[in-house]
Amino acid sequence: MSAAPAPAPVPARAVPAASPSRSSRALLAAFGLAAAVDLTSLLAAAELGHQLAKPLLMPLLAAYAVTRGAPRLLTAALLFGWGGDVFLLSDADWAFLVGMGSFAAGHVCYLVLFGRRRTSVPLAAAYTAALVGTVALLWPDLPVELRIPVAGYSLLLTAMAYRASSLGLLAGLGGGLFLLSDTLIATGVAEWPQLPAPDFWVMLTYIGAQYLLTTGALRSMYGERRTTV
């Protein structure tokens, strides 16, 4: 009598991930604390708190993602975001351009990470309309030397925000928040009227964007248990 056939191997990604480690929990808590300090400092106009907390955000989130098995492209995107954060702490025009370039490199990492998954055609139309309308409105009020860089960056950012939806609701919301955050920055550069405490709203939407993109990417690629805390 022949032996029963061996069961087919289970793909590695189908195996439920172990519960989050203590280090993962600690890193996520530290990220949350740094975010709270940064946002509180912005509301209180405590510039030192912002200067100290902002550079900690993306390294802590990247370290957390690594402990959860993040792909290298996700880690790279977060670290390029850290580079943008650091350069944008300066008010110099050159630092703004370098920071924008660092964020752009992060968006490229996200786009490669998202791959060719399907996305919504109506959503593409909505994002295209938002891109064209926003750039057209901002264009006359932007400094001449920043018009082309901002337009090119906006195209890349919008593509990232749209493609993020291919990973599900969380990543899609993260992409949308990233677009909103950088649009708020652009309106400041164009010297449009701002909300009270404008930097608070920029950072609130940015922190939420990066966290949701990270969580959405991990959940999409490794399953819900990998990102549950």
Side-chain angles (χ1 to χ4, degrees), residues 59-131:
L60 287 170
L61 186 58
Y64 163 75
V66 167
T67 66
R68 308 306 294 152
R72 291 180 180 177
L73 283 169
L74 175 57
T75 306
L78 294 171
L79 293 179
F80 277 122
W82 169 73
D85 290 344
V86 171
F87 281 108
L88 290 188
L89 285 172
S90 170
D91 293 328
D93 288 345
W94 70 266
F96 178 81
L97 288 172
V98 174
M100 187 165 60
S102 188
F103 280 121
H107 297 326
V108 172
C109 292
Y110 275 129
L111 284 169
V112 177
L113 177 67
F114 299 153
R116 298 183 178 181
R117 295 173 177 83
R118 292 183 179 180
T119 44
S120 165
V121 174
L123 186 62
Y127 269 121
T128 300
L131 170 65

Side-chain angles (χ1 to χ4, degrees), residues 26-42 49-65 75 77-86 89 103 199-200 202-211 214:
L27 286 166
L28 189 59
F31 168 74
L33 178 60
V37 170
D38 187 53
L39 295 174
T40 302
S41 297
L42 290 171
H50 174 60
Q51 294 278 340
L52 293 174
K54 185 180 180 183
L56 298 176
L57 292 167
M58 290 307 106
L60 287 170
L61 186 58
Y64 163 75
T75 306
L78 294 171
L79 293 179
F80 277 122
W82 169 73
D85 290 344
V86 171
L89 285 172
F103 280 121
D199 290 343
F200 168 82
V202 168
M203 287 305 299
L204 179 65
T205 49
Y206 169 69
I207 291 168
Q210 292 282 39
Y211 174 74
T214 299

